[in-house]
Amino acid sequence: MQQRANKVVLSLLLLLAVAAHGQQGVPVADVDLSRKSQSLPLEGYAVFLEDAPGAMMLGDAMRAHRDGKFKPLNNVDLSQGVTGSAFWLRLAVRNVDSRNLQWVLSHDYGFAQIMNVYQIDAEQEITGDSSRAITTELREDTPYSQRPIRFRSFAVPFETRPGELDILYVRLTVNYANTQILALRVAPRVVFDSWAAGDRSFHFFFYGILF
């Protein structure tokens, strides 16, 4: 009986959180994903936070978002100049399709030296549970053969289930002061693969002529 009551309370909390989503912290829209989606830059959908000491962990970032410390990511925020700070981004995505879908979160440039991606669900964000996050770490010295997607810039695949809200937290860091650009995008896997194939062909052709 107690277990059933706990489930009912948790369900109510989830409903309240979804209803209030976008009203807590900062007013940004969730990204609705479906098979018809195309490549989407994160400006206007993600929020971000500068972590000057670079000491924040995922749990700290989740608490900072609940406290309203993140701010909307706009075009003017993409270039952070030369900095040694770490930056956190948060994006909420909802699968509005009828089946599981495969996606890619990618960085538009190669300036970031380390990118950590954490995928959690709405329940984990409500409870503040960061221990069950699906995590991926990419470093500039990670061989292509060991990357989840072999590409010139950071690209991380993820999956969403029908009707569910997923939260992506991204941490961009550098080992020393360097140019930091917060330009990321999300795209269906098939769309990304098609674009990436064209990008590889272009660079092969360009550098083939140059050298």
Side-chain angles (χ1 to χ4, degrees):
M1 182 65 70
Q2 183 62 42
Q3 184 176 8
R4 182 178 178 182
N6 290 339
K7 289 182 177 180
V8 170
V9 171
L10 181 57
S11 297
L12 290 172
L13 288 174
L14 284 171
L15 288 172
L16 289 171
V18 170
H21 188 73
Q23 299 176 2
Q24 297 177 356
V26 292
V28 294
D30 299 339
V31 177
D32 289 339
L33 303 177
S34 73
R35 280 169 285 182
K36 297 180 180 180
S37 298
Q38 297 298 312
S39 180
L40 179 72
L42 300 195
E43 305 93 88
Y45 296 97
V47 293
F48 79 102
L49 174 68
E50 180 176 5
D51 172 22
M56 292 178 63
M57 305 299 287
L58 174 59
D60 302 319
M62 294 167 65
R63 284 189 292 274
H65 178 262
R66 288 197 299 271
D67 293 340
K69 295 181 179 180
F70 279 68
K71 61 180 182 178
L73 179 69
N74 297 310
N75 289 331
V76 296
D77 303 308
L78 296 183
S79 178
Q80 294 292 325
V82 177
T83 176
S85 297
F87 287 86
W88 285 87
L89 296 93
R90 177 191 179 277
L91 176 71
V93 296
R94 189 189 310 277
N95 184 346
V96 297
D97 213 289
S98 59
R99 65 182 185 184
N100 288 15
L101 297 174
Q102 306 293 324
W103 306 91
V104 175
L105 176 73
S106 62
H107 198 291
D108 284 352
Y109 303 96
F111 294 116
Q113 296 171 331
I114 306 172
M115 183 169 85
N116 299 87
V117 179
Y118 307 89
Q119 181 180 2
I120 62 175
D121 57 34
E123 177 185 336
Q124 289 170 271
E125 179 138 83
I126 293 170
T127 60
D129 179 11
S130 62
S131 64
R132 295 185 293 114
I134 301 173
T135 65
T136 303
E137 179 178 273
L138 289 173
R139 309 175 72 92
E140 63 175 354
D141 57 354
T142 302
Y144 277 23
S145 60
Q146 296 178 19
R147 297 187 179 189
I149 297 178
R150 299 180 183 181
F151 192 60
R152 60 181 175 82
S153 59
F154 294 153
V156 175
F158 67 97
E159 182 179 61
T160 59
R161 292 184 291 186
E164 292 197 359
L165 181 71
D166 288 275
I167 315 297
L168 300 176
Y169 279 92
V170 182
R171 183 175 185 263
L172 297 173
T173 54
V174 292
N175 293 320
Y176 50 85
N178 197 1
T179 301
Q180 187 66 278
I181 297 180
L182 310 182
L184 291 93
R185 65 181 58 243
V186 62
R189 180 64 188 259
V190 293
V191 172
F192 176 86
D193 286 346
S194 176
W195 174 81
D199 182 83
R200 292 188 188 98
S201 297
F202 169 79
H203 282 83
F204 178 80
F205 178 77
F206 176 81
Y207 287 109
I209 292 178
L210 188 63
F211 297 105

